[in-house]
Amino acid sequence: MNFVDTTQGLRLGTGVGREEDLGERLEQLNLIGASLSAERDIDRLLELILAAAKSITGADGGTLYRVTEDKTLRFEIVRTSSLKYYLGGTSGNPVPFYPIQLYKDGRPNHSMVAAHAALTGKTVNIADAYTADGFDFSGTRAFDAKTGYRSRSFLTVPMRNHEHETIGVLQLINAQGRSGEIVAFSASDQRLAESLASQAAIALTNRMLIMQLEQLFESFINLINSAIDEKSPYTGGHCERVPQLTMMLAEAVNETREGPLSDFRMTEKDRYELKIAGLLHDCGKVTTPVHVVDKATKLETIYDRISLVDTRFEVLKRDLEIEGLRGGMAPNELQQRLRQLDDDRAFLRACNIGGERMKDEDIERVRRIAAYRWRDASGREANFLTDDEVKNLTIRAGTLTDDERKVINHHIVATIKMLEALPWPKHLTNVPEYAGGHHERMDGKGYPRGLRREQMSVQARCMGIADIFEALTARDRPYKKGKTLSESLEILGRMKLNHHIDPDLFDVFVRHKVYRRYAEMFLDPEQIDAVDESKIPGFRP
């Protein structure tokens, strides 16, 4: 790791510590400050801080510590150029040293120079560690004995934030003169290092604050999804899986180098924006009534009303048996009518499940049964089924009436209203569009806005496919079993041909085996069957 790599081309001088170089090094310091502000990755930021300090002071080695919550100094980055000794950060080599205790037995630890600088907030400049008094350099001597190195000059600078709290310590070792000899750190070296430490502390604090705000924001989103999950256990997994499948498909498109989607590219900011949109795509479901979201059977409201229908059948059977006992009906006729009632009850219970599409003759039979007469609790004669029960039992497919589907569909309107009401920062301004478009169709027949393909972003179209495929394969729905891969891809293929989903994205979805990777993560083994892609409707290899 070297400083030129870390700063992506920022060129610095040798930083030899000579006073006549001060103007040049001040200019370097300004360039470094701009680079610190631009860096988003914490590990790279820490490396940039240490590498900049080494370069601007001409130090051969250096260590960057961070103050932990348990009052220790944790080694984050260790670098010694002459030994090619690189630990921590993005090097992939963990730092094997124990943290330095800021307090021992409840008392401040001033024996260690890094701890002393952190506790006092003051810089310590030592010309030769072997002759310095007041600090314990036994660890330094042990390191030198093991490596053959000679640690001499030390410059230890506290990193303090805007609240004057020490958040880290920057320690530089062995300033080098023009001919390569080890010299003491000069007064200008110290001033520049202190200025750099101050800028670094601000950059690090800002980055940590941004990360904490992002974590808080994502935790709040997860809180909303948890609330939806508490309302309905059948949607919690959906809120988790759709974002992941959306990202998988978007990454596959990002990797595509030919065809109509070859120009699509995502930056890290784009990825984060799409991730947030995926997590929030169903936030409007907090407004959807539980008895509609969880409607597992056609007659279910707060409870399944099939039990009331069962009771009425028992009343009809009781009345028939009473009539038979009174001699008003022959035994054979009685048994025949009782069997018919049992058949009708079994038929209505099957209809109530909503598993298969109802035929016209089934709907007509429900209406015939509805016309049976019975005496209710008040003693009045009434139709066997109420109008609302007939309406629900004659739903052709699924368990929802048209009105209930409108209630369900309203969640996307609520989602858009909720998201558009938020003051999104610049890098998240597309979240409402991405999240609010997953029920639109490519032919403009979707909802809520009736957008066509060319009016939608690639990201929103990705989420539309992810939402459908997750729903088809989900095994935690109360009203259906999760479909297999081949069944789901056949349905998606027909949706492509019907201009429901984006045709180019569907081809990428299949071609890049996104469906297979998702299945290995979330589906049961029995759902992962063999897929013959040549038989998928509309798929272009």
Side-chain angles (χ1 to χ4, degrees), residues 284-435:
K285 282 185 177 177
V286 296
T287 67
T288 307
V290 177
H291 69 275
V292 178
V293 174
D294 283 0
K295 192 180 182 190
T297 63
K298 294 180 180 180
L299 290 180
E300 184 174 356
T301 51
I302 302 301
Y303 64 97
D304 192 347
R305 292 175 291 168
I306 195 68
S307 59
L308 298 179
V309 176
D310 284 340
T311 300
R312 291 176 209 153
F313 273 113
E314 290 302 318
V315 171
L316 289 183
K317 290 173 67 175
R318 181 203 63 188
D319 290 347
L320 285 175
E321 289 170 347
I322 291 173
E323 185 178 351
L325 290 172
R326 289 174 175 172
M329 188 182 306
N332 289 341
E333 182 183 359
L334 173 63
Q335 292 303 317
Q336 181 180 354
R337 293 183 64 179
L338 289 175
R339 281 195 300 270
Q340 181 63 50
L341 289 178
D342 286 337
D343 289 343
D344 289 340
R345 176 163 59 181
F347 169 72
L348 291 186
R349 293 185 71 88
C351 291
N352 189 43
I353 295 173
E356 296 182 4
R357 186 173 182 84
M358 290 191 73
K359 303 174 184 177
D360 290 341
E361 53 265 35
D362 293 333
I363 292 176
E364 183 58 35
R365 183 177 177 183
V366 171
R367 290 182 174 139
R368 286 200 307 270
I369 296 172
Y372 292 172
R373 305 292 289 175
W374 77 299
R375 290 190 179 276
D376 60 22
S378 63
R380 292 177 300 184
E381 272 202 359
N383 284 338
F384 187 73
L385 298 176
T386 67
D387 291 342
D388 185 69
E389 289 167 345
V390 173
K391 178 180 179 180
N392 280 270
L393 284 170
T394 55
I395 296 170
R396 286 196 176 270
T399 63
L400 298 177
T401 65
D402 290 340
D403 290 339
E404 288 167 340
R405 287 194 181 277
K406 290 177 181 178
V407 172
I408 289 287
N409 292 346
H410 179 73
H411 83 272
I412 192 62
V413 177
T415 294
I416 293 172
K417 286 183 178 179
M418 291 167 65
L419 296 183
E420 288 185 342
L422 296 177
W424 294 99
K426 183 178 179 180
H427 66 291
L428 294 176
T429 54
N430 292 313
V431 166
E433 191 265 328
Y434 295 168

Side-chain angles (χ1 to χ4, degrees), residues 22 25-26 29 56 187-197:
L22 184 57
R25 292 196 291 158
L26 284 172
L29 185 63
I56 207 168
S188 64
D189 289 333
Q190 181 172 329
R191 289 194 299 271
L192 289 170
E194 288 171 343
S195 178
L196 174 60

